[in-house]
Amino acid sequence: MAILPILTHPDPRLRLKTKPVTVFDDKLQTLIDDLFETMYAAPGVGLAANQCGVLLRLSVMDCSDDKTQPKVLINPEILSTDERQEMEEGCLSVPDIRDTVQRYNKLRVRALDRNGQPFEMDCEGLEAQCVQHEIDHLDGKLYVDYLSSLKRERIKKKMLKLKEAVAG
Ligand code: GNR
Ligand code: NI
């Protein structure tokens, strides 16, 4: 197992197109285990493979309080949604910033599990929010894209400053 580096905004690799997973081999299992380890260590409730530079439609999640409900979403698709509401959101690729965005409070998602078996899941609250956030990642989107251009510019500047500081 390994903790993988997480790309941060405005890294252009977070905007690249991701490909559906078609091969469920040992290499994929290792990647999934590494994504879980990285997500739990961060700590975060979700992580998309392309946040770690792997351009596959794969994300891991665990929105439970006691971190006992690991979920793998491969090639996920939202089947139905309920009403939207304002929800506070953060992202491991946009560290130390949170803001409010509109998300569906309930949804039904279809995906493949780590063995390639299809399943459907009803989600609500944080879990529903997380599914939308992760699918956005897989589509090259970040939650900051939904904010005003003023806020977006401020966030980008802050992130670039942070990267400068890290680079020394
Ligand atoms: O850890 C995370 N918390 C979170 C809170 C509200 C809405 C979405 C999230 S996902 C985020 C981890 C992350 O960046 N996943 O891509
Ligand atoms: Ni994120």
Side-chain angles (χ1 to χ4, degrees), residues 44-47 51 88-92 126 129 133-134 137:
V45 297
L47 186 66
Q51 288 181 273
E88 214 201 15
E89 191 146 328
C91 180
L92 294 172
L126 176 62
Q129 187 184 9
H133 179 108
E134 299 314 326
H137 272 302

Side-chain angles (χ1 to χ4, degrees), residues 91-144:
C91 180
L92 294 172
S93 295
V94 193
D96 299 327
I97 293 183
R98 296 184 72 81
D99 214 321
T100 305
V101 295
Q102 294 263 351
R103 294 289 194 191
Y104 297 107
N105 184 43
K106 286 185 189 170
L107 58 79
R108 187 167 179 85
V109 62
R110 182 183 21 225
L112 304 179
D113 69 14
R114 63 190 298 158
N115 301 311
Q117 294 306 307
F119 68 96
E120 293 184 11
M121 178 168 75
D122 287 306
C123 307
E124 201 176 335
L126 176 62
E127 193 170 55
Q129 187 184 9
C130 197
V131 168
Q132 292 162 83
H133 179 108
E134 299 314 326
I135 292 177
D136 274 354
H137 272 302
L138 301 181
D139 291 334
K141 273 187 252 167
L142 299 174
Y143 82 89
V144 298

